[in-house]
Every structure is written in structure tokens, then in C-alpha cells.
Amino acid sequence: MIRLLLSARPSFGHRLRGPRLGGVALGVVTLGGVVLSSMFCVSASRAAEFTPAQRAEIVSIVRQALKQDPSILRDAVVALQADEGERGQQASRVAIAQSQNQLVTPADPVAGDPHGDVTIVEFFDTRCPYCRRLEPVMDKLLAADHRVRLVYKDLPILGPASVLGTKALLAAQQQGAYDKMREAVMQLPPDTTIGQLETTARGLGLDWPRMVRDMDAPSVQARIDANLALAHRLGIQGTPALVIGDNLVPGAVNLAELQKAVAEARGG
């Protein structure tokens, strides 16, 4: 999964924080960027009752326990990561429910069944190698399941070449050729150039001078800005990211995982 790298855009940075505690954490340990601050804690009022000697003894007990059984540390890391993931999913579900009108708009390109009973919203970057890896998986899903609607959200987060590729796709959409242009661009070298886009567009029979004008249109930039803002609200941290039902699925998944997520969205 590609993490967001934005410049002069809304901040998508997600800083992992330890749980906010109303007391004093003893024996705080940092491992791999995960703050383990909830293993041993007491309320602030209770902690004030301890003498310095008692607090030192508690810290000593904690340290001795970790030395004797290092799995305590491992279990704490796993528990905190699981808790962080669950809280993140809950926040995503709330954000998804509040963003239904923005998740699917009349302007969005659609593949699969436009009236499908399950909608997958795919946030992708034309340069992202994991997005490209997801392409054949998604093709297999749509070929096997004719009741899925796939909605594309162009999310150029990997620099100028990403923005250029996205603008080319949205401009091609004005000529009814989004799907053809997208398929071609996703096969081009990641550092796509304007010359490569011109050759590709002309090869598809598109009006290149018109595309150049449309690429610079304020409406195209507005689409990009709206997608970036929506991804920020949903807590998306990179591409690809899929919204399936009320769940956010980050990263490139395999076909079985994709089919499972679709079945869950159907209530199966």
C-alpha cells in the first residue's frame, strides 16, 4: 500500500498515538513506534498515595516481569494494534455513513453494473504499483460477479506525474473514453510524461488539443480536490483503498478477500 505523500494539499498524515489515559502510566515502553502505555496504570488520585519508594518498587516489579516473560510485551503490542485497528474501523464506518452523497456522484466513472447491488469505491493513483497490481484482481471480480458496481475515485498523491495522469483520465472522460484511457495509462511507465499521454490519446482516437484544454479546466482540478478532501474525511492513508459497503479496505487485496468483503456487504 502506498502511503500518502501530499504537497500543498490537505494533510493526510496519520500519527499513531497511544491511548489517552486519565492516570499515571508506569513502565512505559516504546517498540517499533507503538507506545505501550496501558499495561500498568492507576488513577491520578491513587498514584498520589504512593511514596517514591512504592512507585520505584512497582516499576521494578514491571521490569522484572518483562524480563521473565517477554511475551507480555508482545501480547501488549498485539492488543494495542488490534484496538487501534478496531477503533479506526469504527471511525471509518461513521465517516462512510456521513459521506454517502460524496462517495458516489453523477460525475464519477463507473465500471461493472451501474445498478449493482453492491458498490465498491476504489481510490487509486495511476502511479501506484499496488493499484496496478489490483487491476487484474478487480477485473476477475467483475467478470465473475455481474452485480457489482465499481466507482473510481482518482487520488493523485504521488507527485506531478500522478496529477498529470489523473487530469488526462478526467479529460478523456469528457470524450466518453475514461475506461479506455485508464486501461492504457495504467500500463504506461509510472513516471508518465505528457508525450506518452499524447501518443496514447491519439492512438485511442481522442481529440488531443481538446484534452489539453480540458486537463487545465477548473472543473478537473475541483474533482481532484474533492476526492482528496473525501479521502481525508474517511481516514484513508494511502492507495489503493476500497470502500465496500460500510467498510474501508486498505491496500491491494486478493480475489478471495475481495469476494468475502462483497459477500459481507450483501449481508451474506
Side-chain angles (χ1 to χ4, degrees):
M1 182 179 183
I2 295 295
R3 296 289 176 184
L4 296 178
L5 301 174
L6 301 180
S7 176
R9 297 290 183 188
S11 173
F12 282 58
H14 178 77
R15 186 172 301 166
L16 181 61
R17 295 181 177 88
R20 187 170 296 181
L21 302 174
V24 177
L26 304 179
V28 176
V29 180
T30 300
L31 179 63
V34 180
V35 180
L36 305 181
S37 57
S38 60
M39 292 172 61
F40 301 94
C41 64
V42 294
S43 68
S45 59
R46 181 64 187 278
E49 299 174 7
F50 295 143
T51 66
Q54 289 173 324
R55 286 196 291 270
E57 184 178 0
I58 292 172
V59 171
S60 176
I61 292 171
V62 172
R63 287 175 175 166
Q64 188 62 31
L66 291 175
K67 288 180 180 179
Q68 293 178 350
D69 187 1
S71 67
I72 294 174
L73 193 61
R74 180 199 62 210
D75 293 343
V77 171
V78 172
L80 278 176
Q81 289 176 334
D83 181 65
E84 178 74 16
E86 179 57 30
R87 285 189 287 114
Q89 276 289 357
Q90 289 176 354
S92 293
R93 291 188 189 103
V94 171
I96 289 169
Q98 295 174 342
S99 304
Q100 288 299 311
N101 291 338
Q102 293 79 46
L103 270 172
V104 181
T105 73
D108 291 326
V110 175
D113 181 1
H115 306 290
D117 63 346
V118 169
T119 297
I120 298 175
V121 180
E122 179 182 347
F123 291 81
F124 76 99
D125 185 303
T126 57
R127 291 190 66 209
C128 170
Y130 300 100
C131 297
R132 294 177 175 221
R133 186 181 303 172
L134 183 62
E135 286 291 285
V137 178
M138 195 66 75
D139 288 343
K140 289 178 181 178
L141 175 72
L142 296 181
D145 190 333
H146 301 290
R147 296 182 295 158
V148 171
R149 173 175 64 167
L150 175 59
V151 175
Y152 292 117
K153 291 286 189 180
D154 299 82
L155 197 68
I157 59 175
L158 297 176
S162 294
V163 175
L164 187 64
T166 289
K167 287 186 173 182
L169 296 189
L170 297 181
Q173 187 182 8
Q174 302 301 314
Q175 299 185 42
Y178 180 92
D179 289 342
K180 291 192 297 183
M181 192 67 184
R182 184 181 184 279
E183 182 179 358
V185 168
M186 296 295 272
Q187 299 297 321
L188 291 175
D191 292 322
T192 309
T193 66
I194 191 72
Q196 291 169 333
L197 291 174
E198 178 180 1
T199 299
T200 300
R202 291 186 183 279
L204 294 173
L206 301 182
D207 183 339
W208 176 247
R210 177 186 170 187
M211 273 191 66
V212 171
R213 292 193 300 271
D214 289 340
M215 286 169 67
D216 290 330
S219 59
V220 166
Q221 186 61 52
R223 290 269 299 280
I224 293 172
D225 291 341
N227 288 349
L228 288 166
L230 176 60
H232 181 48
R233 287 196 300 274
L234 297 180
I236 291 173
Q237 299 179 47
T239 57
L242 309 174
V243 175
I244 306 177
D246 62 354
N247 287 320
L248 176 62
V249 181
V253 293
N254 61 39
L255 182 59
E257 292 169 325
L258 198 53
Q259 290 173 326
K260 179 181 178 182
V262 169
E264 289 174 351
R266 286 193 174 112

